Amino acid sequence: MKIRLLLAFAIAAFINPEAYGQAKKTDGSLPRPKLLVGIVVDQMRWDYLYRYYDRYQSGGFKRLLNEGFTCENTQIDYVPTVTAIGHTTIYTGSVPAIHGIAGNDFIIQATGKSMYCTEDTTVETVGSTSKAGRMSPRNLLSSTITDELKLATNFRSKVIGIALKDRGGILPAGHSADAAYWFDDLTGGWISSTYYMKDLPGWVKDFNGKKYADKFLSQGWNTLYPIDTYKQSTADNVPYEGIFKGEKSPTFPRNLLEIKASTPGIFRFTPHANTLTLDFAKTAIENEQLGKDEIPDFLAISLSSIDYIGHNYGANSIEAEDALLRLDKGLANFFNYLDKQVGKGNYTVFLSADHGGAHNPKFLNDNKIPAGFFPTQKLLNELNQVLETKYGVKKLALTFENYQVSLNNTAIAKNKLDEDAIRKDCVKFLEGKPGVAFVLDQKDAATANIPEVLKERIINGYNPERSGVVQIILKPGWYSGYAETGANHGVWNPYDAHIPLVWMGWGIKQGKSNKPTNMTDIAATLAALLRIQAPNGNIGNPIEEVLE
């Protein structure tokens, strides 16, 4: 009997070394991973996991899917689906109604002032003379899972956030992070703010001093593999793609240095920026000694380039395909680094997205699929003309930001106007307009004659202090865009709201599930894995199937 038990234990350890690593704890300490790594791929549609699966190498996306656990039916459970809210919701387990990040930009309803999600005029930039560092998490109203880890370990855990976008590094890292870093177009390096530090650490200065971004730009951008082998190989010069000043057509190869002369931020629109982010993350792990003791650390990484590329070129472009193939290669390299630096079985990683991305409407129309562009500014101007004619006051509607109508409450109060009547006028005006499926007063969301799933997402996304009072829901395939090229996101539909969620490493089972899960469940699952309290605004539930 003893021999059989020993043999069974040995086989189990061979099959699942991570689980065996948990069993080896003999010092009485709580079993936890040494390092948690959250990876959010900005604008990564769920189907990107499989669209190019046959071209991914074994160590990147395929490793996550084959060694880890994939939640195949994870949905964003609010509107609007944008970057700041997505990152915040993943790490808080909450929604805009509670955590307060109601958009990338939102209107403070009491004053009518537009607020950027991480804007903070009380701090200064660290690492540059630009104003790009005047940012902090102070607009975030709830704690994050990274904050809760800090609290649970009496602030001995290290927490660092890294992203090209300030909001992608700051919001996941939470209020009590040791540092957050983001990319500065002026210097081509990584910066922070005085919220975190007075000066950049020496290792960050050394990294910036090597001018990696300039070196990547000098390489230009050509396809990783022969262009005729790409699934989107017929899409290298089509009218759905945007071009930059200095370009004659949206085609490969690209001379990035020439484009940079008129587009200083061009680096963000290349897959090289994701590579730089992962290289910087590896440097942070090494220099900050993350994952080197029994107190778990947390590294929150956001990879932003897919979003920039999606906005300019769209989901059905060689640019998007090439960026994903290069990211797959970069992830394989990064996971190998973690294996060596932290130790396989000593870390837990999850990969998700802040939102997906739509197909270009003209592309859909050309393929006989209904879609369209919502004429936001045109309709806003027309609405204000209607309201001015009736009430004698200009610009009573401030914006359609986040598919919500924000009213000029200062003007309404000053002129003693009937706000409820104005809300009804807004709803009446928008009903039946091109692309509008539903429009409703936020006060009526719970009883509106619309599908239940939309009610829940509208209510979850509405913060009375920071959201517009009238909600617009567009027809499938429609969105409000920057231009008629590329693509956008922000709506409730599956292309924007169905996101990847894959887990791998310490404490994670191998497998997959099609059970419905929500973005808000991610933080609760991390809390269960770590055996710590969930964030203080959390509404999600642990995904039990994921955990050992």
Side-chain angles (χ1 to χ4, degrees):
M1 180 62 73
K2 288 183 178 180
I3 293 174
R4 288 180 181 177
L5 286 172
L6 287 171
L7 181 60
F9 189 73
I11 292 171
F14 177 76
I15 293 173
N16 192 347
E18 289 86 354
Y20 179 63
Q22 289 177 241
K24 288 196 299 182
K25 284 267 188 181
T26 59
D27 62 358
S29 62
L30 187 64
R32 286 172 175 161
K34 292 184 175 183
L35 177 64
L36 294 103
V37 181
I39 301 174
V40 178
V41 183
D42 202 324
Q43 203 184 132
M44 183 166 177
R45 295 164 52 105
W46 167 80
D47 62 347
Y48 284 164
L49 285 176
Y50 300 104
R51 184 184 291 194
Y52 307 114
Y53 183 87
D54 59 332
R55 302 209 70 185
Y56 293 149
Q57 55 187 257
S58 60
F61 289 121
K62 281 185 177 178
R63 178 175 172 184
L64 284 168
L65 292 168
N66 296 331
E67 290 187 18
F69 193 100
T70 175
C71 302
E72 295 283 82
N73 190 17
T74 302
Q75 302 287 331
I76 296 176
D77 38 350
Y78 56 81
V79 288
T81 49
V82 296
T83 297
I85 307 178
H87 284 81
T88 304
T89 297
I90 286 172
Y91 283 86
T92 63
S94 191
V95 289
I98 299 168
H99 63 56
I101 301 300
N104 293 334
D105 297 273
F106 45 84
I107 301 296
I108 303 299
Q109 297 298 302
T111 64
K113 178 188 175 185
S114 179
M115 176 71 73
Y116 179 64
C117 56
T118 53
E119 173 185 335
D120 187 351
T121 56
T122 70
V123 299
E124 299 296 335
T125 304
V126 173
S128 173
T129 58
S130 76
K131 294 181 179 180
R134 302 195 72 184
M135 306 288 169
S136 85
R138 287 197 173 103
N139 289 327
L140 174 59
L141 304 180
S142 64
S143 70
T144 60
I145 190 65
T146 44
D147 286 327
E148 295 297 333
L149 179 60
K150 280 282 196 178
L151 289 166
T153 62
N154 197 24
F155 300 93
R156 292 178 295 170
S157 294
K158 276 192 176 181
V159 171
I160 294 175
I162 293 172
L164 284 180
K165 298 180 181 180
D166 47 61
R167 56 190 182 269
I170 291 169
L171 297 169
H175 299 275
S176 59
D178 295 273
Y181 300 102
W182 51 98
F183 187 76
D184 179 47
D185 291 328
L186 179 65
T187 63
W190 298 92
I191 62 172
S192 190
S193 85
T194 51
Y195 179 88
Y196 304 99
M197 62 192 72
K198 293 181 179 179
D199 194 14
L200 292 178
W203 66 266
V204 178
K205 292 180 179 179
D206 289 343
F207 190 96
N208 286 344
K210 293 175 182 176
K211 300 293 181 182
Y212 288 117
D214 290 343
K215 292 176 182 177
F216 279 123
L217 286 169
S218 68
Q219 295 175 16
W221 181 12
N222 204 351
T223 53
L224 183 62
Y225 304 110
I227 197 167
D228 59 1
T229 66
Y230 281 62
K231 292 180 185 292
Q232 308 293 339
S233 59
T234 59
D236 195 32
N237 191 6
V238 292
Y240 321 118
E241 299 181 2
I243 61 173
F244 293 99
K245 290 181 180 178
E247 284 188 302
K248 294 181 179 179
S249 63
T251 54
F252 288 100
R254 284 183 169 79
N255 186 322
L256 298 176
L257 289 178
E258 285 186 3
I259 299 172
K260 186 184 177 184
S262 53
T263 310
I266 187 62
F267 182 67
R268 296 171 181 268
F269 292 81
T270 76
H272 301 319
N274 279 341
T275 304
L276 180 72
T277 304
L278 288 172
D279 287 345
F280 186 65
K282 286 186 283 188
T283 307
I285 291 170
E286 181 177 349
N287 285 275
E288 296 290 347
Q289 293 292 288
L290 301 182
K292 286 300 184 182
D293 56 31
E294 299 306 308
I295 302 168
D297 299 318
F298 207 122
L299 178 62
I301 305 169
S302 178
L303 299 166
S304 309
S305 294
I306 301 297
D307 183 69
Y308 288 107
I309 290 167
H311 279 301
N312 197 62
Y313 302 106
N316 304 286
S317 62
I318 298 178
E319 287 80 2
E321 181 176 354
D322 190 66
L324 286 159
L325 295 178
R326 289 177 181 273
L327 176 57
D328 175 64
K329 186 177 179 181
L331 289 173
N333 181 281
F334 184 65
F335 296 148
N336 285 335
Y337 174 84
L338 290 175
D339 290 342
K340 295 174 183 176
Q341 184 72 13
V342 184
K344 189 174 183 181
N346 288 330
Y347 65 88
T348 305
V349 61
F350 74 86
L351 181 143
S352 191
D354 53 350
H355 54 74
H359 294 288
N360 177 274
K362 191 174 186 307
F363 166 79
L364 291 180
N365 292 162
D366 289 347
N367 287 280
K368 302 179 181 179
I369 299 173
F373 294 97
F374 182 63
T376 306
Q377 191 58 51
K378 176 177 179 290
L379 289 177
L380 178 62
N381 293 340
E382 291 178 3
L383 172 60
N384 271 317
Q385 187 59 55
V386 169
L387 296 176
E388 183 182 350
T389 299
K390 182 174 181 179
Y391 297 101
V393 179
K394 295 179 180 293
K395 295 184 178 179
L396 285 175
L398 295 176
T399 74
F400 284 1
E401 188 87 54
N402 301 316
Y403 298 100
Q404 299 162 349
V405 182
S406 286
L407 297 178
N408 187 341
N409 292 308
T410 302
I412 290 171
K414 179 181 178 180
N415 291 278
K416 298 180 181 180
L417 302 178
D418 185 341
E419 182 190 337
D420 286 338
I422 295 172
R423 289 187 183 207
K424 290 177 182 177
D425 290 333
C426 292
V427 171
K428 183 179 179 181
F429 171 83
L430 287 164
E431 285 177 335
K433 287 295 188 287
V436 175
F438 307 103
V439 57
L440 53 99
D441 190 316
Q442 296 279 17
K443 293 188 296 186
D444 302 328
T447 57
N449 188 25
I450 61 176
E452 200 66 33
V453 65
L454 296 184
K455 292 182 188 179
E456 180 181 4
R457 295 185 188 190
I458 290 169
I459 291 168
N460 284 346
Y462 175 59
N463 185 289
E465 296 177 354
R466 299 177 176 184
S467 300
V469 294
V470 172
Q471 179 70 55
I472 304 165
I473 299 292
L474 299 182
K475 295 176 181 178
W478 284 72
Y479 62 67
S480 175
Y482 308 118
E484 293 193 0
T485 53
N488 205 359
H489 53 83
V491 295
W492 68 271
N493 309 76
Y495 43 81
D496 279 0
H498 185 189
I499 55 172
L501 177 56
V502 195
W503 310 76
M504 183 180 74
W506 190 98
I508 304 299
K509 290 180 182 176
Q510 190 281 326
K512 69 176 182 178
S513 172
N514 285 299
K515 173 185 173 183
T517 51
N518 292 320
M519 178 185 270
T520 47
D521 295 332
I522 297 173
T525 305
L526 289 166
L529 177 80
L530 290 165
R531 297 177 177 86
I532 63 175
Q533 187 60 266
N536 60 18
N538 173 72
I539 64 169
N541 297 294
I543 308 169
E544 295 180 5
E545 296 92 335
V546 167
L547 304 175
E548 289 281 5

